[in-house]
Amino acid sequence: MRSETLKPKKRRMSNITLTMIKPDAFSKNFSGKIMDKIYDAGFTIRAMKLTRLSEERAKQFYAVHSERPFFNDLIRFMTSGPIIAAILEKDNAVDDFRKLIGSTNPEEAEEGTIRKAFAENIERNAVHGSDSNENAQIEASFFFSGKEIF
């Protein structure tokens, strides 16, 4: 028997996305209902944690928006309470999750989407979803070490 057949197979992380249940949805106890929609859409949870972003960590995560006029409000909002961060896995994870969460503006989101059901407005929009496969990898690594991903 060759030794390579005894090694455990490493799971690929190419079909993942990162989500955060944001402080607005968490404080309104929507987390369970949001997770039900995620499971019903066929996603598998690879990692999940309840945490709270510090100002420094929020600024790191949202650095791409640092020059935008809404940046300080975004940081204030994202540090205002706990979040749930999770790595989701499914074929075509990023695109499928973006469809599931709907438009950033809940008024423009389709019926049945997470944001249509649970978001307050464009700023308090209930959930985050990675916008590309590259960003999904970066964002997953921001919240989780390799030992925390199953």
Side-chain angles (χ1 to χ4, degrees):
M1 183 181 284
R2 292 173 38 191
S3 63
E4 61 201 50
T5 60
L6 299 175
K7 294 179 183 174
K9 290 184 180 180
K10 196 172 190 178
R11 293 186 70 176
R12 287 184 34 224
M13 289 199 16
S14 60
N15 288 310
I16 64 156
T17 191
L18 182 102
T19 189
M20 286 186 284
I21 298 176
K22 295 180 178 182
D24 56 323
F26 184 84
S27 70
K28 292 182 176 183
N29 295 318
F30 292 151
S31 301
K33 291 176 183 178
I34 291 170
M35 291 307 299
D36 282 344
K37 285 189 168 285
I38 290 169
Y39 284 123
D40 290 347
F43 289 90
T44 301
I45 307 297
R46 294 282 310 279
M48 184 164 37
K49 68 171 68 168
L50 175 65
T51 189
R52 188 169 185 159
L53 289 170
S54 66
E55 184 176 335
E56 179 182 338
R57 293 280 287 165
K59 285 180 177 179
Q60 289 172 348
F61 189 83
Y62 288 106
V64 67
H65 298 302
S66 64
E67 300 300 317
R68 308 287 294 268
F70 60 81
F71 181 70
N72 289 330
D73 289 338
L74 174 63
I75 299 308
R76 222 175 347 272
F77 167 59
M78 289 304 297
T79 59
S80 68
I83 62 158
I84 295 175
I87 297 174
L88 310 176
E89 182 179 48
K90 178 184 180 186
D91 287 343
N92 203 34
V94 170
D95 289 340
D96 284 3
F97 194 66
R98 302 288 298 176
K99 288 176 193 164
L100 178 64
I101 64 177
S103 175
T104 305
N105 183 346
E107 292 178 15
E108 298 171 2
E110 291 185 33
E111 288 298 328
T113 62
I114 290 173
R115 288 179 172 152
K116 186 69 168 184
F118 304 110
E120 291 177 41
N121 55 48
I122 196 167
E123 293 172 348
R124 295 177 176 271
N125 59 18
V127 293
H128 166 84
S130 302
D131 62 3
S132 69
N133 289 329
E134 279 182 347
N135 283 339
Q137 297 292 329
I138 293 165
E139 293 172 356
S141 297
F142 182 88
F143 282 101
F144 299 96
S145 72
K147 294 186 285 186
E148 297 175 300
I149 302 169
F150 299 94

